[in-house]
Amino acid sequence: MALGLLVLLAGIFIYSEFKDYTVSQNKKNESSKLLKTSTLLAELYEAENLSKLALQTKKRRNLKAYSQKVDSIFHTVDTLKLLANTSEQMLKLDSVRILLQQKVYNNAELRKLKVRDENNAPLDSLLRTFQKMEVDLGRITPENFVPDFDQLPETTQNSIREYVALLNKNIPPNAQQSNADEVDSILQVSKTILEEAKLKTAQIERSMVEKELEIYKTDLELSQKLRSIVSAFEQEIIWSAYSENLGKQQLLKKSSQFVWATMVLGLLVISVFTFLITNDYWKVQLYRKRLEKEKQYSESLLKSREQLISMVSHDLRTPLNTIKGYIELMEQGGNSKKSKKYFKNIASASNYVENLVNRLLDFSKLESGQMQVENVPFKLSEIISDTVANFEEVSSKKSLELKLEIADSLKKPILGDPYKTRQILTNLVSNALKFTHQGFVQVNASTKEMDGNAMVFIQVIDSGIGIPKEKQELVFQEFTQVGNPSGNSYDGHGLGLTISKKLAKLLGGDLTLKSKENEGSVFTLLLPLQYVKDAPLFEKSPDLSISSKLSMVALDDDKAFLELLAEMCCMHGILLKTFTNYNDLEKDSTLHYDVLLTDIQMPEKNGFEVVEALKSGSVSHYKNQPVIAMTGKRDLDKDIFFESGFAGVLQKPFSKSDLLKLLGQFANGTGESANSTHSGVEAPEVSSKLFSLDSISSFLDSPQALHEVLETFLETTDKNMELLSQAIIDKDFKAIKSIAHRMLPLFRQLKAESIIPLLEQLEDMEPHYSNKKIRKNHKKLQTEISKLQEDIKNYLVIPQVGID
C-alpha cells in the first residue's frame, strides 16, 4: 500500500508537470512568430525603398509595387496578431498598422507635389522661345514651340496649342519691318504674362518644397516609430521565448529531482518493508514452531491429565478403602490397643492422601502462576541439616549411609524463601533414598561464582539405580516415573521432581541432573546467594508463648464465631469476654482487659467507628489498650487499619497460631511466660467435600469442644437464614449485607468453598440489583447450606474419639 501510494503521488506529479510542458509545446511556435516579426521588419525596409523609388521615378509601376508591398505588410501584421500572447502586443501591432497607413498617405501627397512641379517646367521653355521669336518671327508649331510636347499633360498641351494658334494669327504676312513694333509689343505683353506666371509658380514651388520637407520629416518619424515598435515587439517575443525555455528547463530539472527523490524514497520503502516482511516471515516461522511445540505440549498435557485421573483415582481409592476398613473395625472392636493400631494406620493413609493433595495443589499453583515467593533472612545450613536429619530413620532402616557436608560460607544468614528451599531439598533427598538400595546418599552444600553472580551450589548424590540418558528429561515431566530395566515400580505421584524444578526456576535458580544407569545420580540445585546482616531470622516454628494472665475482649455479631474463639482462649488460659454489639461493651464499666478484638463490619457500629469511639476517651474502661481488627474483606490495605488506630489485623479465616502469635506481641508480661502446651485437637478426617475442620480444630482442645462449636454453628445458621429470607422479602439491603457479613467468618473457617462466594455476593449487594437475581442467589444459597448442614450432622452422628 505504501509503495502504491508513493507511485500514485509520483505519477500525479509527473503527469501535471508533463501536462504543463505539453501545453507549452502545443502553443504556437515562438520561433515562427519571431521569424514573422523579422520578416515584417524586412518588409518595412523594403517598402520604404519602394516608396523612395516611386517618388524619384514618378512611374506608375513603381507606385503599384509599393502598394502591393504595403498590402503584404498588412497581411503579415494580421498574421502576427493571431500569434500575439498579450494585449500589449496587440496594441503594438495595431499601432504599426496605423502608422503604415499614415506613411502611405504621406507618400501619396509627396507624389502629387512632384507631379505639379513637373507641370510648371514648360514655362521656362516658353520664355526661351519668346526670346528666339524676337529674332525670328517665323511660323510657330506646338512641337517646335515646346520640346517633349508629347510627354506633357493633356491640359498643358491644350493651353500651348491655343497659345501657338494665337501667335500665328497675329503675325502679318508681309509686314516684317512695319509691324515690328507691334509684334514686339505683343511679345512683351506675352513675356510679361509668362514672367508673372513663373513668379507665381516659384511661389507655389517654395510652398511645395516646405510641405515636401514637412512630409519627409513626418515620414521619417513614422519610419522610426515603425522600426521602434517592431523592434520592441521582436525583443518582447525573444524575451518571452527565452523565459519559456528557461521555465521548461526548470520544469525538467524539478521533474528530474522529483523522480530521483521518488526512486530513493521508493528504494528506502522497499528496504524497510523488505526487512519488515522478512522479519514477519521469520516471526511466522518462529510462531509456527512455537505452535507446534505448544500443540505437542497440549497433547502431552492431555495425556498427563488422563494419567492424573487414572493415578489419582487409584491412589485415592486405596487409602480411602484402608480408612473405611479401619473405621468399620473400630465400630466393631473394643480393644484399645487395636484401636491405637487402627488409628496409626488411618493416620498413615490420611498422611498419604494429604501429601498427594498438597502436591497437586502446589503443582496447580505453579502452573497458574499463583505461587508467591518470600524473601526473608534465614540460615540455609540449618534448613539443610534439619531436612537431612528428618531422613536419618529412613536411611538407617535401609542400611544406607547418609552423608552431609556444608560449607562454612552457608552458615551466615542469607535472603530467600526457606519454606520452598526445604520443599525442594525434601523431594531430592526423599527420591535419592527411594531409588537407592545399597551404598550412600550424600548432600553437599557450598557457594559458587557463575557469570559474575554468587550462587548456592547444592548437590544430592546417590549410588542408586541411575537413569538412562534417553529418559533423563522425562523425570522433570509431571506424573512421570522412570522405572529401572527390571520393571520394578516405586511409590510416588510423579510430581516431586516436576514441582522441585518449577520451584527452583521460581526462586531464580535451576535444577539439573547427571546420571548413569546402575551407577547413581547427581541432582544439582542452584539458587541465588545474597547475604544479609543484622536482620531478624526466619523462625522455623512460631513461638506461641503468651502471658498466663492475659485478658481479652472480643466484639463480633457472630455468636458461633465468638463461641469458637472462647473455646480456644479457654484452652490457652486466656480470659475472654465476648459482646455481640458495641452498646453492651460501652455500658459495662467493670471491664478490665489487655487486648480488644473487634469485627470490622457490624450492623450498628463498624470496627472503624468502634476504635474511633474508644480513642475519643468516652469509654471509661479503655486505657489505650491495643485494638486488633478482624475482617473478612480481602481487598483492604492493612495500612488503612494502622492509620485508623488499630494495633494489628487478623484476616478471616485465621488460624490459632496466627491469633496466638499476634497476641504474644501484646502480652502484659505480669506473669511468667510459658510455651503453650496446647496445639489444638488433631484435625479429624471428614468424608464430605463441602467443608474442612483443619482450621477450626486448631482453636479447640478436644473433640467435645469441636462438637459443641459445630452444633452452635448449625443453630445460628438456621436463625441467620430465617433472618436473611425475611430481609430479602422486605428488600432490606442493609440487613442482607449485615447478615451475610455475620455468617461469612465461620463458613470461611469451615472452608465451605461452594457457599463463601454466594455470601460474598450478598455482602456486596446493592439496591439496583434485580429482585430475580437476589432470589436466585438466595435459593442457591439455601440449597448449598442444606447440603452442608446435612454433611455436618452426619459427621456429628459418628462417635468421635474422646467423646463419652
Side-chain angles (χ1 to χ4, degrees), residues 98-150:
I98 294 170
L99 290 173
L100 192 59
Q101 290 174 349
Q102 185 68 32
K103 187 173 177 64
V104 170
Y105 174 77
N106 289 344
N107 286 335
E109 290 295 320
L110 281 172
R111 185 176 179 280
K112 288 179 181 180
L113 293 174
K114 291 286 185 181
V115 171
R116 287 179 183 178
D117 186 54
E118 288 180 356
N119 291 338
N120 293 329
L123 293 176
D124 293 332
S125 179
L126 284 175
L127 289 174
R128 286 191 299 270
T129 303
F130 281 143
Q131 290 175 357
K132 186 177 181 182
M133 285 175 63
E134 290 179 350
V135 179
D136 187 11
L137 291 174
R139 189 70 178 174
I140 302 170
T141 63
E143 289 78 5
N144 295 329
F145 188 72
V146 178
D148 299 326
F149 179 81
D150 294 333

Side-chain angles (χ1 to χ4, degrees), residues 23-42:
V23 168
S24 64
Q25 287 291 98
N26 291 335
K27 292 179 182 178
K28 295 298 182 178
N29 199 326
E30 293 295 331
S31 62
S32 175
K33 186 164 61 175
L34 183 61
L35 181 61
K36 286 187 178 294
T37 304
S38 301
T39 302
L40 175 62
L41 190 59

Side-chain angles (χ1 to χ4, degrees), residues 677-691:
T677 57
H678 301 282
S679 60
V681 65
E682 183 180 352
E685 293 289 337
V686 294
S687 59
S688 175
K689 296 181 180 180
L690 298 180
F691 70 99

